[in-house]
Amino acid sequence: MYSIRPYKKRWYEYNTQHTIINSFVQLSKSTRLILVNASPEGWSKSLTINKYINHALTVTKIHHIEIHEELSIGKLSEILYLLPELDSLQIFSLSFSQSTCLSKEELEGLLFLSTKNRITKLFLKKIALIEELYFLMEIFPHINHLQVNLIYSMDIELFVRLILIHIMTKSNHPLRLLCFPIVAADDEMVQKLEKMINVENLLFDFMMKRVINEIYLQWK
C-alpha cells in the first residue's frame, strides 16, 4: 500500500524547526519506505518483501527506510542490497549474538554493505549490547548522525564515553551528531555529561543541548 502525505519533520532533521523543504531536489530525496513486517512469515508466497521493494522502486527512488521489527543480519543485507541509494536507516533492533557464527555468504554480504552503502543517518531503537552499535558502525562507515535508545542497564555517562572512545580509535570517523532519548533527561544531566567530556578530553569543540527528553551532542 502506498500513500502521499504532507511532509513532516523526521527524526534525522535536527534543529530544522524553521527550515522549509521546498526545492524539487530536496523533495525528490525525501521518499521513505516503512516496513512494519519484514519477516518471511508475514508475507504471502506470491508477494515476498523483495518483490514488494522492487515494485516500489518502479514508482520512485527510495532514500529513507524504517523497519519496525527485529531483523537478522542476513535479511538486513538483503533489503539494503536492493536499496543502494539509502541515506537514512531506522531499525527496531538487529538479531545479534557474540556467539553467532556468520556464514561465508553473510560475511560477503556485510563486506558489500560496508563498501557500497551511502547511509549517513542511523537510528537504532533497541539494543541489548553496546557491541551491536559498534557492529553497525562498521557496516555503515559513512554515518554522521547516530540516534539510539539507551541500553536499560547502562549508565548514560558510560554510554557516551564508550561511543566517543570508539570513534577516537577510527581515523577521521565521520560521526558528528549523537542523539539519545532519555525519559529523565534534564539540564543537570546535560551539565554532568559536558563536565565528563571536558575532564576526560573526549571532545574539544562540541555543543550539547536538551530538547524535551532528547539529548543532542554535536561536534566538529
Side-chain angles (χ1 to χ4, degrees), residues 22-41:
N22 54 15
S23 75
F24 175 78
V25 174
Q26 286 177 305
L27 288 173
S28 67
K29 292 185 177 181
S30 67
T31 309
R32 174 181 55 180
L33 177 65
I34 300 175
L35 297 178
V36 177
N37 188 346
S39 62
E41 296 78 11

Side-chain angles (χ1 to χ4, degrees), residues 37-52 75:
N37 188 346
S39 62
E41 296 78 11
W43 295 80
S44 66
K45 293 181 179 180
S46 61
L47 181 62
T48 64
I49 189 171
N50 294 38
K51 290 182 179 179
Y52 177 79
K75 178 55 68 174

Side-chain angles (χ1 to χ4, degrees), residues 123-127 147-152 159 179-181:
F123 183 7
L124 184 60
K125 302 201 73 173
K126 180 182 178 182
I127 58 174
Q147 182 164 331
V148 57
N149 288 350
L150 288 183
I151 302 170
Y152 293 114
F159 172 80
C179 173
F180 36 96

Side-chain angles (χ1 to χ4, degrees), residues 91-110:
I91 183 172
F92 177 72
S93 66
L94 184 65
S95 299
F96 180 86
S97 173
Q98 290 180 313
S99 61
T100 298
C101 294
L102 300 179
S103 67
K104 179 181 178 181
E105 291 75 17
E106 287 176 322
L107 287 172
E108 290 176 348
L110 292 177

Side-chain angles (χ1 to χ4, degrees), residues 25-143:
V25 174
Q26 286 177 305
L27 288 173
S28 67
K29 292 185 177 181
S30 67
T31 309
R32 174 181 55 180
L33 177 65
I34 300 175
L35 297 178
V36 177
N37 188 346
S39 62
E41 296 78 11
W43 295 80
S44 66
K45 293 181 179 180
S46 61
L47 181 62
T48 64
I49 189 171
N50 294 38
K51 290 182 179 179
Y52 177 79
I53 291 175
N54 282 323
H55 181 64
L57 290 172
T58 65
V59 179
T60 182
K61 291 183 178 181
I62 297 171
H63 296 274
H64 310 277
I65 188 170
E66 295 181 10
I67 304 173
H68 293 181
E69 69 166 11
E70 184 177 77
L71 277 187
S72 67
I73 296 170
K75 178 55 68 174
L76 178 63
S77 299
E78 187 178 333
I79 291 173
L80 297 185
Y81 180 83
L82 297 172
L83 301 170
E85 297 189 48
L86 282 180
D87 181 54
S88 77
L89 167 65
Q90 176 180 323
I91 183 172
F92 177 72
S93 66
L94 184 65
S95 299
F96 180 86
S97 173
Q98 290 180 313
S99 61
T100 298
C101 294
L102 300 179
S103 67
K104 179 181 178 181
E105 291 75 17
E106 287 176 322
L107 287 172
E108 290 176 348
L110 292 177
L111 178 61
F112 173 85
L113 285 180
S114 65
T115 57
K116 300 296 183 181
N117 79 83
R118 305 177 186 178
I119 293 173
T120 63
K121 306 169 188 69
L122 173 65
F123 183 7
L124 184 60
K125 302 201 73 173
K126 180 182 178 182
I127 58 174
L129 299 168
I130 190 68
E131 286 79 9
E132 295 179 29
L133 201 51
Y134 297 159
F135 180 74
L136 289 172
M137 291 171 72
E138 292 297 324
I139 296 177
F140 307 117
H142 306 296
I143 291 174

